[in-house]
Amino acid sequence: MSHSPVDSHSSHPRTVTAPRGTTLHARGWPQEAALRMLQNNLDPEVAEHPQDLVVYGGSGRAARDWSSFDALVRTLTTLAGDETMLVQSGRPVGVLRTDEWAPRVLIANSHLVPDWATWEEFRRLEALGLTMYGQMTAGSWIYIGTQGILQGTYETFAAVAARLAERGVTPPESSGSLAGTLTVTAGLGGMGGAQPLAVTMNGGVVICVECDESRIRRRLDHRYLDVRADSVDHALRLAEEAVRARRPLSVGVLGNAAEVVPALLARSVPVDVVTDQTSAHDPLMYLPLGVAFDDWAAERARDPEGLVERARESMARHVEAMVGFLDAGAEVFDYGNSIRDEARKGGLTRAFAFPGFVPAYIRPLFCEGKGPFRWVALSGDPADIARTDKAVLELFPDNEPLVRWIRLAGERVHFQGLPARICWLGYGERDRAGLRFNELVASGEVTAPIVIGRDHLDAGSVASPYRETEAMADGSDAIADWPLLNAMVNVASGAAWVSLHHGGGVGIGRSIHAGQVTVADGTPLAARKLARVLGNDPATGVIRHVDAGYERAEETARRLGVRTPMREGPVEGSVQP
Amino acid sequence: MSHSPVDSHSSHPRTVTAPRGTTLHARGWPQEAALRMLQNNLDPEVAEHPQDLVVYGGSGRAARDWSSFDALVRTLTTLAGDETMLVQSGRPVGVLRTDEWAPRVLIANSHLVPDWATWEEFRRLEALGLTMYGQMTAGSWIYIGTQGILQGTYETFAAVAARLAERGVTPPESSGSLAGTLTVTAGLGGMGGAQPLAVTMNGGVVICVECDESRIRRRLDHRYLDVRADSVDHALRLAEEAVRARRPLSVGVLGNAAEVVPALLARSVPVDVVTDQTSAHDPLMYLPLGVAFDDWAAERARDPEGLVERARESMARHVEAMVGFLDAGAEVFDYGNSIRDEARKGGLTRAFAFPGFVPAYIRPLFCEGKGPFRWVALSGDPADIARTDKAVLELFPDNEPLVRWIRLAGERVHFQGLPARICWLGYGERDRAGLRFNELVASGEVTAPIVIGRDHLDAGSVASPYRETEAMADGSDAIADWPLLNAMVNVASGAAWVSLHHGGGVGIGRSIHAGQVTVADGTPLAARKLARVLGNDPATGVIRHVDAGYERAEETARRLGVRTPMREGPVEGSVQP
Ligand SMILES: NC(=O)c1ccc[n+]([C@@H]2O[C@H](COP(=O)([O-])OP(=O)(O)OC[C@H]3O[C@@H](n4cnc5c(N)ncnc54)[C@H](O)[C@@H]3O)[C@@H](O)[C@H]2O)c1
Ligand SMILES: NC(=O)c1ccc[n+]([C@@H]2O[C@H](COP(=O)([O-])OP(=O)(O)OC[C@H]3O[C@@H](n4cnc5c(N)ncnc54)[C@H](O)[C@@H]3O)[C@@H](O)[C@H]2O)c1
């Protein structure tokens, strides 16, 4: 009953980076793309803990273990253009002959039969070597570092700024920016590290609480964070000064959010916006009050159940303070880490007093099929991304927030691993961009193929009642048919690889979601696939929101011709049985 | 927020049957096949409650409601050969342009995000019109009536007979049959109705307890059941006489299994085999002790929670008696209806004292990719099935149990709806049969295309810890990646429709499973798709069991060349990063 007949002792942790340039290590560009993106996910510039194969988000892995990684690489290098590799929770389990039109890789990560879908059972099975946690883009090989979340975070804070202006909190001269406002948040990890830059790109001031010194240092190094304060007092002095001057500034401070956030409330600090991105979705990874950061790992190993309980109690304190800021008039939202539900488990009654960020700010975008479109230059050449940036500006010159983002991103975003870009595009836009990139590859204006994918957090690809599908208009929050349809649609439409995950973002038991990646290698076949995938993938988002009754989605479907049979009358000449 | 903008009053319950013959009502045979199979699932000969769109298994539906049914028909009649219709829990939600290679229909039924995956939440969402229960082949349009389960039941009882012989319970002259033995079971519904015929085809005697008189009558009408007894005493007299004469006989008796089975134990009736197929997976559909059958529906409506509790208590009594028979030396098994878990919830400690039928009898077949291959003659002509029966006998003349089954089935099986056949075939066999059928269609020996599908209960298509994946050798019972990979593989391989369901067979929260249907329309494209789907679909079963460490699966993979990367050494010339 061995799970590693290939001697696992021959598979050591090591430093992995993706090859650059135009030399193929596989039998075709789609396979090469999967190979490089797997490797890129583990690049020390990209991954949070590459030696453990952990890419981001607590324990989100790219491969189950190093012998699985070796087998993935070995298989991708030899996979034919009509073969498909099957990946079960980070381990390659089979190779089948399918078709040129079919994906080269099919991935299912972290799924459990629902009655068994708890962290306890998951960790038990993980310890047996039977599964791994894939998060969203860790196990589906399309993580691009903190830029991935930066764009989403940027869009979210822009929407928050607009809301503050509507509410008259900010004066008209702020013109929809966060100038002169103070935001408080916590967590500077793989996702949360985007928060300081997203706030300052919107002109605001932010204090970020983080208990791990190395994370603060990393965000300073990457220029996502401006300064580090020595103490909460120091942070407040720096922040208040910047707010008065209406000057953007991000301040990191070492501490436990469950202590610092209540302390700020107790002092009646005038905070305008409060959120959080500690890894609350996995309570083992939220530092409880009274535990020193340096003792944490040992304590976790010694008494995991006890630590989970203490973490939930601490989150109750933390969220209680967030609710206090809400009562004081601040814009407060859950940033997709399940902290409200954990705080509820920790005993807090009013944990759900503030909304999740999706119903508050993101759903209107989903109704138009808008979501996090991203791409990567397999050449490794930043000039290729500059060329695609230019193409996007040429394609959508009238989309002001998009144009502003692309310009700022070009200046401020530090590439991690292979150069990459992200921007939010809707139904009818993504396919145009993909086809344009394919032309650039075909013409040689871009030097090697471009990989095009997205986060699993997208319009039609996720069921997650505490985040993406919270408070749906028709009550369909927990209906999980949609991400499965999305995955099957992407397989049917010719994506290069398709992934179906459980538990990403909000934790085991709480979400089902899908991803796709397509490769623009300049061929006519790629063009056909790009047109299908990049049309149909966001179309499932429009469809999902039409079905839930959102008028904005119905309007989009009507305007752009997305077919929804329940809205169609009897067709002439059709047969009624 | 209306879910039925097409006036649902125009969509009445009505009698549905599939068209026969070679005239197309759709734009191609794959679409026509989906249309006819949807209609055939609701044929009064096939469906248990067609007016409610219920096909079998408690509340397993073919479509969410009649307006969804109308929209499905309308869409299928106009769907192009490169379009795909999306079905979300029995309702058509979108039509997308994909590719000729892609499926025409993609179906996801009954899925809930795991933390919400309970019957209570499911029924709440169903009442809101947001989902439906798809069972396995009800919502995926490939139910063929009780023959479907008959073959599986026949194989199971044959394996039970072999076990009794091994144990010396039956004498050598029984030569692996059930001659001279008595089986007790309950439930003569859509699935359970196959039990009496399966036992008598194996030469045995069986008493079947059923609380619904109309079900007993139906099985008598179809000749699946030989006689009906007036009382338990009468049933025992008939059965004991037949056992003494070593003559096959099936006896139906009206009663509540929770009363009758304990009564038989109390009388020390010499029973050799005990099982059960009441619809225990949905405790609302198990008649509790003390409730008259005629009052049941009203009681259910009045106090569903109370009824569930009482049903669980009754199941505890029922299973306690089954355990008593086990202690007395009988061969006792759970026949896939979750009755052990419900009895446990009803307070019985020893509920899991006897095994499920899969680890006991079916798993060795799964290791070879063997599973329930089935096909349907779209012509409606029984002669087409006779022709395919002959083809199967010609293809596999040395497979004795298969040959015996096909012969007996041809004599004894009463077709329901479109003529259909089922037999269990393994990896390397299904594709040969499919390609042969395609030739028969091409040559005109068979008069119209043949639909080829299977139950979701198959080697690689299901995760169900109380049934198909109970007691896996490596402990991977609850890992649900496999059915998702299976569904994606079938989409990639060109199936005509692919379905992914939750909760079939064993109930909400307890299973995830996939199905595929492919159409042999005699074209070269169909031949390519049949070769891929009917090879890759069972291959995922072999792969799943290789991964779990089953030697028989490893041997199959080696012998038939199924590639499993973790078993492959480094490939020469491959690149190690
Ligand atoms: N909103 C979104 O779109 C989105 C997207 C992805 C992930 N998320 C969620 O956001 C959360 C953060 O993700 P991540 O990838 O950054 O996780 P991460 O594990 O990389 O980072 C979490 C950080 O929180 C810090 N932390 C833990 N407990 C703390 C405490 N008590 N006080 C202060 N700091 C503490 C950790 O040291 C770590 O640096 C996760 O729950 C994730 O699921 C949200
Ligand atoms: N073993 C398998 O391969 C397999 C396959 C499919 C389904 N099943 C399971 O088998 C069970 C039966 O399926 P079905 O489709 O026949 O269901 P069904 O609802 O059509 O039939 C169940 C029958 O049980 C009877 N019944 C209910 N309570 C009873 C009681 N207390 N005493 C006597 N009879 C009672 C009902 O009247 C009904 O006729 C289900 O739980 C199903 O999930 C097993």
Side-chain angles (χ1 to χ4, degrees), chain A residues 57-58 189-192 210 215 256-257 277 279 281 287 335 337 467 505:
Chain A
M191 300 282 113
E210 167 60 60
R215 298 298 180 97
N256 189 322
Q277 283 212 337
S279 44
H281 73 279
L287 179 67
Y335 214 152
N337 65 352
R467 200 163 88 181

Side-chain angles (χ1 to χ4, degrees), chain A residues 165-450:
Chain A
E166 266 167 48
R167 287 178 45 203
V169 176
T170 49
E173 61 266 31
S174 295
S175 59
S177 84
L178 289 172
T181 68
L182 174 58
T183 296
V184 169
T185 187
L188 291 175
M191 300 282 113
Q195 296 177 104
L197 182 52
V199 172
T200 55
M201 280 173 131
N202 277 292
V205 178
V206 60
I207 296 177
C208 301
V209 187
E210 167 60 60
C211 65
D212 179 350
E213 189 156 11
S214 71
R215 298 298 180 97
I216 298 181
R217 229 176 304 118
R218 189 186 186 106
R219 301 312 153 208
L220 284 169
D221 288 351
H222 290 170
R223 300 192 307 136
Y224 271 47
L225 180 67
D226 295 329
V227 293
R228 175 185 167 168
D230 302 328
S231 65
V232 175
D233 280 337
H234 183 205
L236 276 177
R237 273 202 310 280
L238 291 170
E240 279 165 8
E241 201 180 273
V243 167
R244 261 196 311 276
R246 302 178 61 79
R247 182 167 50 77
L249 182 71
S250 57
V251 184
V253 62
L254 189 67
N256 189 322
E259 189 183 329
V260 175
V261 180
L264 295 175
L265 180 70
R267 290 192 197 190
S268 304
V269 173
V271 177
D272 303 287
V273 181
V274 186
T275 189
D276 178 65
Q277 283 212 337
T278 56
S279 44
H281 73 279
D282 179 357
L284 253 190
M285 299 305 292
Y286 181 96
L287 179 67
L289 287 166
V291 176
F293 180 77
D294 291 336
D295 304 335
W296 191 17
E299 291 276 313
R300 264 201 313 260
R302 201 180 49 78
D303 177 21
E305 288 85 10
L307 268 264
V308 163
E309 197 177 312
R310 291 175 66 185
R312 288 190 173 134
E313 284 163 15
S314 300
M315 287 192 252
R317 298 289 72 72
H318 182 169
V319 173
E320 189 176 37
M322 294 173 77
V323 174
F325 278 114
L326 178 79
D327 293 340
E331 195 71 20
V332 183
F333 59 96
D334 177 315
Y335 214 152
N337 65 352
S338 280
I339 197 166
R340 290 172 300 169
D341 194 46
E342 296 295 338
R344 187 184 55 74
K345 289 186 180 154
L348 185 67
T349 323
R350 290 187 66 207
F352 281 81
F354 52 85
F357 72 113
V358 173
Y361 311 113
I362 305 295
R363 187 150 308 138
L365 305 177
F366 282 172
C367 288
E368 300 180 23
K370 279 208 174 123
F373 181 83
R374 59 177 64 170
W375 64 98
V376 179
L378 289 179
S379 64
D381 186 351
D384 280 352
I385 290 298
R387 184 64 197 85
T388 54
D389 279 351
K390 196 160 151 273
V392 169
L393 294 175
E394 289 159 3
L395 278 173
F396 310 107
D398 304 328
N399 185 334
E400 271 187 61
L402 175 64
V403 167
R404 183 156 49 109
W405 160 258
I406 293 285
R407 293 244 156 86
L408 276 168
E411 291 163 21
R412 299 290 307 267
V413 168
H414 168 91
F415 292 136
Q416 297 165 257
L418 292 169
R421 181 66 70 226
I422 177 167
C423 66
W424 279 42
L425 291 180
Y427 177 75
E429 295 174 338
R430 299 193 205 185
D431 50 344
R432 289 177 60 204
L435 289 170
R436 183 72 191 110
F437 294 174
N438 201 50
E439 287 167 9
L440 293 175
V441 174
S443 70
E445 289 174 81
V446 155
T447 61
I450 300 282

Side-chain angles (χ1 to χ4, degrees), chain B residues 48 56-59 133 135-136 143 149 153 186-193 209-212 215 219 255-258 276-282 285-289 293 296 314 318 334-338 357 455 457 467-468 504-507:
Chain B
E48 298 275 337
Y56 77 94
S59 57
Y133 189 48
Q135 266 286 12
M136 291 194 149
Y143 186 62
I149 201 70
T153 314
L188 290 176
M191 300 283 113
V209 187
E210 167 60 60
C211 66
D212 179 351
R215 298 299 179 97
R219 299 313 154 210
N256 189 321
D276 178 65
Q277 283 212 337
T278 56
S279 44
H281 72 278
D282 179 357
M285 299 307 291
Y286 180 97
L287 179 67
L289 287 166
F293 181 77
W296 191 17
S314 300
H318 181 169
D334 177 313
Y335 214 154
N337 65 352
S338 280
F357 73 113
D455 194 12
L457 177 163
R467 199 163 89 180
E468 288 86 346
V506 288

Side-chain angles (χ1 to χ4, degrees), chain B residues 219-298:
Chain B
R219 299 313 154 210
L220 284 170
D221 288 352
H222 289 169
R223 301 193 307 135
Y224 271 48
L225 180 68
D226 295 328
V227 293
R228 175 186 167 168
D230 303 327
S231 65
V232 174
D233 280 336
H234 183 206
L236 274 178
R237 272 201 312 279
L238 291 170
E240 279 165 8
E241 199 181 275
V243 166
R244 259 196 312 277
R246 302 178 62 78
R247 183 167 50 77
L249 181 72
S250 56
V251 184
V253 63
L254 189 68
N256 189 321
E259 189 183 329
V260 176
V261 180
L264 295 175
L265 180 70
R267 291 194 198 189
S268 304
V269 174
V271 177
D272 302 288
V273 182
V274 186
T275 189
D276 178 65
Q277 283 212 337
T278 56
S279 44
H281 72 278
D282 179 357
L284 252 190
M285 299 307 291
Y286 180 97
L287 179 67
L289 287 166
V291 176
F293 181 77
D294 291 335
D295 304 335
W296 191 17

